[in-house]
């Protein structure tokens, strides 16, 4: 069941991930998500271990009508994705995100990543935040660029994804560039 509300926008809410949410996190194994992310297939136990041992800030992207900051019943929340802030306590934070395919192209990702950027700059004293997207992932690259991220570089043949080596495009956003 999704945890406490961390941030809310017009249509989505970021909620803390709880151990009961591991089955939802495992949706990241679905090929239509896994290939654009470049992630390996992981068992629910591997995901649970990563969740328990990780110190990244990971949030569920939810559609709900909760006006309060507390917990809600699981049946009142529709989880549609995950957004994470990695390595924020020791280097430039890196954003990661995915949404279930049924909601792709509806603007939920932009709103969720925008909330995550706001959260990062409010929570951490970092001058910048980064994110990466595969060169073939036009939707993810467009999302980052629409929020003001600047292409900073390209890691050529970075990862073997879906049968071939793919380039990773690295993006960055300075605190001074982020809109108030």
């Amino acid at each position: 069941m999704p945890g406490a509300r961390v941030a809310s926008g017009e249509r989505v809410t970021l909620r803390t991930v709880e151990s009961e949410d591991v089955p939802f996190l495992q949706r990241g194994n679905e090929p239509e998500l896994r290939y654009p992310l470049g992630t390996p297939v992981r068992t629910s136990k591997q995901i649970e271990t990563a969740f328990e041992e990780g110190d990244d800030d990971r949030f569920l992207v939810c559609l709900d009508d909760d006006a309060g900051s507390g917990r809600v019943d699981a049946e009142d929340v529709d989880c549609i994705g995950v957004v994470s802030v990695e390595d924020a306590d020791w280097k430039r934070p890196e954003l990661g995100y995915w949404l279930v395919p049924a909601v792709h192209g509806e603007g939920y990702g932009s709103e969720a990543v925008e909330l995550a950027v706001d959260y990062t700059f409010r929570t951490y004293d970092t001058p910048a935040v980064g994110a990466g997207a595969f060169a073939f992932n036009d939707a993810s690259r467009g999302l980052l660029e629409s929020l003001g991220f600047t292409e900073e570089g390209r890691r050529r043949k970075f990862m073997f994804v879906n049968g071939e080596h793919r380039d990773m495009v690295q993006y960055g956003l300075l605190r001074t560039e982020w809109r108030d």
Side-chain angles (χ1 to χ4, degrees), residues 99-159:
L99 296 177
V100 295
V103 300
H104 285 182
E106 296 184 28
Y108 295 123
S110 294
E111 187 174 343
V113 173
E114 184 174 2
L115 290 171
V117 171
D118 279 337
Y119 165 84
T120 303
F121 284 138
R122 275 193 336 266
T123 306
Y124 298 100
D125 185 26
T126 181
V129 64
F134 285 106
F136 68 84
N137 191 339
D138 294 334
S140 189
R141 294 182 65 200
L143 181 156
L144 294 169
E145 292 167 6
S146 75
L147 293 176
F149 281 77
T150 300
E151 184 175 327
E152 295 181 329
R154 178 181 294 256
R155 293 186 242 172
R156 299 179 299 159
K157 307 295 183 195
F158 177 71
M159 192 178 292

Side-chain angles (χ1 to χ4, degrees), residues 43-80:
T43 66
S44 59
K45 184 63 178 166
Q46 290 170 315
I47 293 170
E48 185 176 348
T49 299
F51 168 74
E52 291 171 355
E53 294 176 358
D55 59 356
D56 298 334
D57 297 343
R58 183 170 291 134
F59 307 109
L60 293 177
V61 179
C62 302
L63 305 176
D64 65 61
D65 296 324
D66 177 45
S69 60
R71 300 176 71 83
V72 295
D73 291 330
E75 60 270 3
D76 295 332
V77 177
D78 186 15
C79 298
I80 61 169

